[in-house]
Coordinates of all heavy atoms in Angstrom, one line a residue:
Q1 N -67.1 37.8 -36.7 CA -68.0 37.2 -35.7 C -69.1 36.4 -36.4 O -69.4 35.3 -35.8 CB -68.7 38.3 -34.9 CG -67.7 39.1 -34.0 CD -66.9 40.2 -34.8 OE1 -67.1 40.4 -35.9 NE2 -66.0 40.8 -34.0
A2 N -69.6 36.8 -37.5 CA -70.7 36.0 -38.2 C -70.1 34.7 -38.7 O -70.7 33.7 -38.7 CB -71.2 36.9 -39.3
I3 N -68.9 34.8 -39.3 CA -68.2 33.6 -39.8 C -67.9 32.6 -38.7 O -68.2 31.4 -38.8 CB -66.9 34.0 -40.6 CG1 -67.3 34.7 -41.9 CG2 -66.1 32.7 -40.9 CD1 -66.1 35.3 -42.6
S4 N -67.5 33.1 -37.6 CA -67.2 32.3 -36.4 C -68.5 31.6 -36.0 O -68.5 30.4 -35.7 CB -66.7 33.2 -35.3 OG -66.4 32.4 -34.2
K5 N -69.6 32.3 -35.9 CA -70.9 31.7 -35.5 C -71.3 30.6 -36.5 O -71.7 29.5 -36.1 CB -71.9 32.8 -35.4 CG -73.3 32.3 -35.0 CD -74.3 33.5 -34.9 CE -75.6 33.0 -34.4 NZ -76.5 34.1 -34.3
H6 N -71.2 30.8 -37.8 CA -71.5 29.8 -38.8 C -70.6 28.6 -38.7 O -71.0 27.5 -38.8 CB -71.5 30.4 -40.2 CG -72.6 31.3 -40.5 ND1 -72.7 32.6 -40.2 CD2 -73.8 31.0 -41.1 CE1 -73.9 33.1 -40.5 NE2 -74.6 32.1 -41.1
L7 N -69.3 28.9 -38.4 CA -68.4 27.7 -38.3 C -68.7 26.9 -37.1 O -68.6 25.6 -37.2 CB -66.9 28.2 -38.2 CG -66.3 28.8 -39.5 CD1 -65.0 29.5 -39.3 CD2 -66.2 27.7 -40.5
R8 N -69.1 27.5 -36.0 CA -69.5 26.7 -34.8 C -70.7 25.8 -35.1 O -70.7 24.6 -34.7 CB -69.7 27.6 -33.6 CG -68.4 28.1 -33.0 CD -68.6 28.8 -31.7 NE -69.6 29.9 -31.7 CZ -69.3 31.1 -31.9 NH1 -68.1 31.5 -32.3 NH2 -70.2 32.1 -31.9
V9 N -71.7 26.3 -35.8 CA -72.8 25.5 -36.2 C -72.4 24.4 -37.1 O -72.8 23.2 -37.0 CB -73.9 26.4 -36.9 CG1 -75.0 25.6 -37.5 CG2 -74.5 27.4 -35.9
M10 N -71.5 24.7 -38.1 CA -71.1 23.7 -39.0 C -70.2 22.6 -38.3 O -70.2 21.4 -38.6 CB -70.3 24.3 -40.2 CG -71.2 25.2 -41.1 SD -70.2 26.2 -42.2 CE -69.3 25.0 -43.2
E11 N -69.5 23.0 -37.3 CA -68.7 22.1 -36.5 C -69.6 21.1 -35.8 O -69.3 19.9 -35.7 CB -67.8 22.9 -35.6 CG -66.8 21.9 -34.8 CD -65.8 22.7 -34.0 OE1 -66.2 23.7 -33.4 OE2 -64.6 22.2 -33.9
R12 N -70.7 21.7 -35.2 CA -71.6 20.8 -34.5 C -72.2 19.7 -35.4 O -72.6 18.6 -35.0 CB -72.7 21.6 -33.8 CG -72.2 22.3 -32.5 CD -73.4 22.8 -31.6 NE -74.2 23.7 -32.3 CZ -74.0 25.0 -32.3 NH1 -73.0 25.5 -31.6 NH2 -74.8 25.8 -32.9
S13 N -72.4 20.1 -36.7 CA -73.0 19.2 -37.6 C -71.9 18.2 -38.2 O -72.3 17.3 -39.0 CB -73.7 19.9 -38.8 OG -72.8 20.6 -39.6
G14 N -70.6 18.5 -38.0 CA -69.6 17.6 -38.5 C -69.0 18.0 -39.8 O -68.2 17.4 -40.4
L15 N -69.5 19.2 -40.4 CA -69.0 19.6 -41.7 C -67.6 20.2 -41.6 O -66.9 20.1 -42.6 CB -70.0 20.7 -42.3 CG -71.3 20.1 -42.8 CD1 -72.3 21.3 -43.1 CD2 -71.1 19.2 -43.9
V16 N -67.2 20.8 -40.5 CA -65.9 21.4 -40.4 C -65.3 20.9 -39.0 O -66.0 20.5 -38.2 CB -65.8 22.9 -40.5 CG1 -66.3 23.4 -41.8 CG2 -66.6 23.5 -39.4
R17 N -64.0 20.9 -38.9 CA -63.3 20.6 -37.7 C -62.4 21.8 -37.4 O -61.9 22.5 -38.3 CB -62.5 19.4 -37.8 CG -63.2 18.1 -38.1 CD -62.3 16.9 -38.1 NE -62.8 16.0 -39.0 CZ -62.2 15.3 -39.9 NH1 -60.9 15.5 -40.1 NH2 -62.8 14.4 -40.7
S18 N -62.2 22.0 -36.1 CA -61.3 23.1 -35.7 C -60.2 22.5 -34.8 O -60.3 21.5 -34.2 CB -62.0 24.2 -35.0 OG -62.5 23.7 -33.7
S19 N -59.0 23.2 -34.8 CA -57.9 22.9 -34.0 C -57.3 24.2 -33.6 O -57.3 25.2 -34.3 CB -57.0 21.9 -34.7 OG -56.5 22.5 -35.8
R20 N -56.6 24.2 -32.5 CA -55.9 25.3 -32.0 C -54.4 25.3 -32.5 O -53.8 24.3 -32.5 CB -55.8 25.3 -30.4 CG -57.1 25.4 -29.7 CD -57.8 26.7 -29.8 NE -57.2 27.8 -29.1 CZ -57.5 29.1 -29.1 NH1 -58.6 29.4 -29.9 NH2 -56.9 30.0 -28.5
C21 N -54.0 26.5 -33.0 CA -52.6 26.7 -33.4 C -52.2 28.0 -32.8 O -52.4 29.0 -33.3 CB -52.6 26.7 -34.9 SG -51.0 26.8 -35.6
G22 N -51.6 27.8 -31.6 CA -51.2 29.1 -30.9 C -52.4 29.8 -30.4 O -53.3 29.2 -29.8
R23 N -52.6 31.0 -30.7 CA -53.8 31.8 -30.3 C -54.9 31.7 -31.3 O -56.0 32.1 -31.1 CB -53.4 33.3 -30.1 CG -52.5 33.5 -29.0 CD -52.1 34.9 -28.8 NE -52.9 35.9 -29.5 CZ -52.7 37.1 -29.5 NH1 -51.7 37.7 -28.8 NH2 -53.5 38.0 -30.1
E24 N -54.6 31.1 -32.5 CA -55.6 31.0 -33.5 C -56.3 29.7 -33.5 O -55.8 28.7 -33.0 CB -55.0 31.1 -34.9 CG -54.7 32.5 -35.4 CD -54.2 32.5 -36.9 OE1 -53.7 31.5 -37.3 OE2 -54.5 33.5 -37.5
R25 N -57.5 29.6 -34.0 CA -58.2 28.4 -34.3 C -58.3 28.2 -35.8 O -58.7 29.1 -36.5 CB -59.7 28.5 -33.7 CG -60.4 27.2 -33.8 CD -61.7 27.2 -33.0 NE -61.4 27.1 -31.6 CZ -61.1 26.0 -30.9 NH1 -61.0 24.9 -31.6 NH2 -60.9 26.0 -29.6
R26 N -57.8 27.1 -36.2 CA -57.8 26.8 -37.7 C -59.0 25.8 -38.0 O -59.3 24.9 -37.2 CB -56.5 26.1 -38.0 CG -55.2 26.9 -37.8 CD -54.9 27.7 -38.9 NE -53.8 28.6 -38.6 CZ -52.5 28.4 -38.9 NH1 -52.2 27.3 -39.6 NH2 -51.7 29.3 -38.6
W27 N -59.6 26.1 -39.1 CA -60.8 25.3 -39.5 C -60.4 24.6 -40.8 O -59.7 25.0 -41.7 CB -61.9 26.4 -39.8 CG -62.3 27.1 -38.6 CD1 -61.8 28.2 -38.1 CD2 -63.3 26.6 -37.6 NE1 -62.4 28.5 -36.9 CE2 -63.3 27.6 -36.6 CE3 -64.2 25.5 -37.5 CZ2 -64.1 27.5 -35.5 CZ3 -65.0 25.4 -36.4 CH2 -65.0 26.4 -35.5
R28 N -61.0 23.3 -40.8 CA -60.8 22.4 -41.9 C -62.1 21.8 -42.3 O -62.9 21.4 -41.4 CB -59.8 21.3 -41.5 CG -59.5 20.3 -42.6 CD -58.5 19.3 -42.1 NE -57.2 20.0 -41.8 CZ -56.2 20.0 -42.6 NH1 -56.2 19.4 -43.7 NH2 -55.1 20.7 -42.2
L29 N -62.4 21.7 -43.6 CA -63.6 21.1 -44.1 C -63.5 19.6 -44.0 O -62.4 19.0 -44.2 CB -63.7 21.4 -45.6 CG -64.9 20.8 -46.4 CD1 -66.2 21.3 -45.8 CD2 -64.8 21.1 -47.8
N30 N -64.6 19.0 -43.5 CA -64.7 17.5 -43.4 C -65.3 17.0 -44.7 O -66.6 17.0 -44.7 CB -65.4 17.1 -42.1 CG -65.5 15.6 -42.0 OD1 -65.0 14.8 -42.8 ND2 -66.1 15.2 -40.9
E31 N -64.6 16.7 -45.7 CA -65.1 16.4 -47.0 C -66.0 15.2 -47.0 O -66.9 15.0 -47.7 CB -64.0 16.2 -48.0 CG -63.2 17.5 -48.3 CD -62.1 17.3 -49.2 OE1 -62.3 16.5 -50.2 OE2 -61.0 17.9 -49.0
Q32 N -65.7 14.2 -46.1 CA -66.5 13.0 -46.0 C -68.0 13.3 -45.7 O -68.9 12.7 -46.2 CB -66.0 12.0 -45.0 CG -66.7 10.7 -45.0 CD -66.6 10.0 -46.4 OE1 -65.6 9.9 -47.0 NE2 -67.8 9.5 -46.8
R33 N -68.2 14.3 -44.8 CA -69.6 14.7 -44.5 C -70.3 15.2 -45.8 O -71.5 14.9 -45.9 CB -69.6 15.7 -43.4 CG -69.2 15.2 -42.1 CD -70.1 14.2 -41.5 NE -71.3 15.0 -41.0 CZ -72.4 14.4 -40.5 NH1 -72.4 13.1 -40.4 NH2 -73.4 15.1 -40.1
L34 N -69.6 15.9 -46.6 CA -70.2 16.4 -47.9 C -70.5 15.2 -48.8 O -71.6 15.1 -49.5 CB -69.3 17.4 -48.6 CG -69.2 18.7 -47.8 CD1 -68.3 19.6 -48.6 CD2 -70.6 19.4 -47.7
V35 N -69.6 14.2 -48.9 CA -69.8 13.0 -49.6 C -71.0 12.3 -49.1 O -71.9 11.8 -49.9 CB -68.5 12.1 -49.6 CG1 -68.8 10.7 -50.2 CG2 -67.4 12.8 -50.4
D36 N -71.1 12.1 -47.8 CA -72.3 11.5 -47.2 C -73.6 12.2 -47.6 O -74.6 11.6 -47.9 CB -72.1 11.4 -45.7 CG -71.0 10.5 -45.3 OD1 -70.5 9.7 -46.1 OD2 -70.6 10.6 -44.1
A37 N -73.6 13.5 -47.5 CA -74.8 14.3 -47.8 C -75.2 14.2 -49.2 O -76.3 14.0 -49.5 CB -74.5 15.8 -47.4
R38 N -74.2 14.2 -50.1 CA -74.5 14.0 -51.5 C -75.1 12.6 -51.8 O -76.0 12.6 -52.5 CB -73.2 14.2 -52.3 CG -73.4 14.1 -53.8 CD -72.2 14.4 -54.6 NE -72.5 14.3 -56.0 CZ -71.7 14.6 -57.0 NH1 -70.4 15.0 -56.7 NH2 -72.0 14.5 -58.2
F39 N -74.5 11.6 -51.2 CA -75.1 10.3 -51.4 C -76.5 10.2 -50.9 O -77.4 9.7 -51.6 CB -74.2 9.3 -50.6 CG -74.7 7.9 -50.7 CD1 -74.5 7.1 -51.8 CD2 -75.4 7.3 -49.6 CE1 -75.0 5.8 -51.9 CE2 -75.8 6.0 -49.7 CZ -75.7 5.3 -50.8
Y40 N -76.8 10.8 -49.7 CA -78.1 10.8 -49.2 C -79.1 11.6 -50.1 O -80.2 11.1 -50.4 CB -78.1 11.4 -47.8 CG -79.5 11.6 -47.2 CD1 -80.2 10.5 -46.7 CD2 -80.1 12.8 -47.1 CE1 -81.4 10.6 -46.1 CE2 -81.4 13.0 -46.6 CZ -82.0 11.9 -46.1 OH -83.3 12.0 -45.6
L41 N -78.7 12.7 -50.6 CA -79.5 13.5 -51.5 C -79.8 12.8 -52.8 O -80.8 12.9 -53.4 CB -78.9 14.9 -51.7 CG -78.9 15.8 -50.4 CD1 -78.1 17.1 -50.7 CD2 -80.4 16.1 -50.0
E42 N -78.7 12.1 -53.3 CA -79.0 11.3 -54.6 C -80.0 10.2 -54.3 O -80.8 10.0 -55.2 CB -77.6 10.8 -55.0 CG -76.7 11.9 -55.7 CD -75.3 11.4 -56.0 OE1 -75.0 10.2 -55.6 OE2 -74.6 12.1 -56.6
Q43 N -79.9 9.6 -53.2 CA -80.9 8.6 -52.8 C -82.3 9.2 -52.9 O -83.3 8.6 -53.4 CB -80.7 7.9 -51.5 CG -79.5 6.9 -51.5 CD -79.4 6.3 -50.1 OE1 -79.3 7.0 -49.1 NE2 -79.4 4.9 -50.1
I44 N -82.5 10.3 -52.2 CA -83.8 11.0 -52.1 C -84.2 11.4 -53.5 O -85.4 11.2 -53.8 CB -83.7 12.2 -51.2 CG1 -83.4 11.8 -49.7 CG2 -85.0 13.0 -51.2 CD1 -84.4 11.0 -49.0
S45 N -83.3 11.8 -54.3 CA -83.7 12.3 -55.7 C -84.2 11.1 -56.5 O -85.2 11.2 -57.2 CB -82.4 12.9 -56.3 OG -82.7 13.2 -57.6
R46 N -83.5 9.9 -56.3 CA -83.9 8.7 -57.1 C -85.4 8.3 -56.6 O -86.2 7.9 -57.4 CB -83.0 7.6 -56.9 CG -81.7 7.7 -57.7 CD -80.9 6.5 -57.7 NE -80.3 6.1 -56.5 CZ -79.2 6.6 -55.9 NH1 -78.5 7.5 -56.6 NH2 -78.8 6.2 -54.8
Q47 N -85.6 8.4 -55.3 CA -86.9 8.0 -54.8 C -88.0 8.9 -55.3 O -89.1 8.5 -55.7 CB -86.9 8.1 -53.2 CG -86.1 7.0 -52.6 CD -85.9 7.1 -51.1 OE1 -86.4 8.1 -50.5 NE2 -85.2 6.2 -50.5
W48 N -87.7 10.3 -55.4 CA -88.7 11.2 -55.9 C -88.9 10.9 -57.4 O -90.0 11.0 -57.9 CB -88.2 12.6 -55.7 CG -88.7 13.1 -54.3 CD1 -88.0 13.3 -53.2 CD2 -90.0 13.6 -54.0 NE1 -88.7 13.8 -52.2 CE2 -90.0 14.0 -52.7 CE3 -91.2 13.7 -54.7 CZ2 -91.1 14.4 -52.0 CZ3 -92.3 14.1 -54.1 CH2 -92.3 14.5 -52.7

């Protein structure tokens, strides 16, 4: 239940995607969002 709650929050932010497979919901990491976040954090780091 806790993992499910965290995944829903991460899905709203675009970090993961879900799809239905029968009765299950499968989760997949959206790697591009992590690449984007890393790029943004590197920019902030350079500014600091």
Side-chain angles (χ1 to χ4, degrees):
Q1 292 81 6
I3 291 173
S4 178
K5 183 177 180 179
H6 283 85
L7 286 170
R8 285 192 302 273
V9 170
M10 292 169 61
E11 186 174 37
R12 284 195 299 271
S13 71
L15 287 172
V16 296
R17 294 184 210 136
S18 68
S19 60
R20 300 288 294 171
C21 184
R23 292 179 15 183
E24 279 188 332
R25 183 166 292 279
R26 301 270 173 99
W27 296 88
R28 178 180 299 260
L29 177 65
N30 181 359
E31 293 180 40
Q32 185 58 48
R33 292 292 287 177
L34 291 179
V35 169
D36 295 343
R38 182 177 181 176
F39 178 76
Y40 175 75
L41 291 172
E42 286 172 352
Q43 283 183 309
I44 297 294
S45 178
R46 284 191 297 274
Q47 290 172 358
W48 272 103

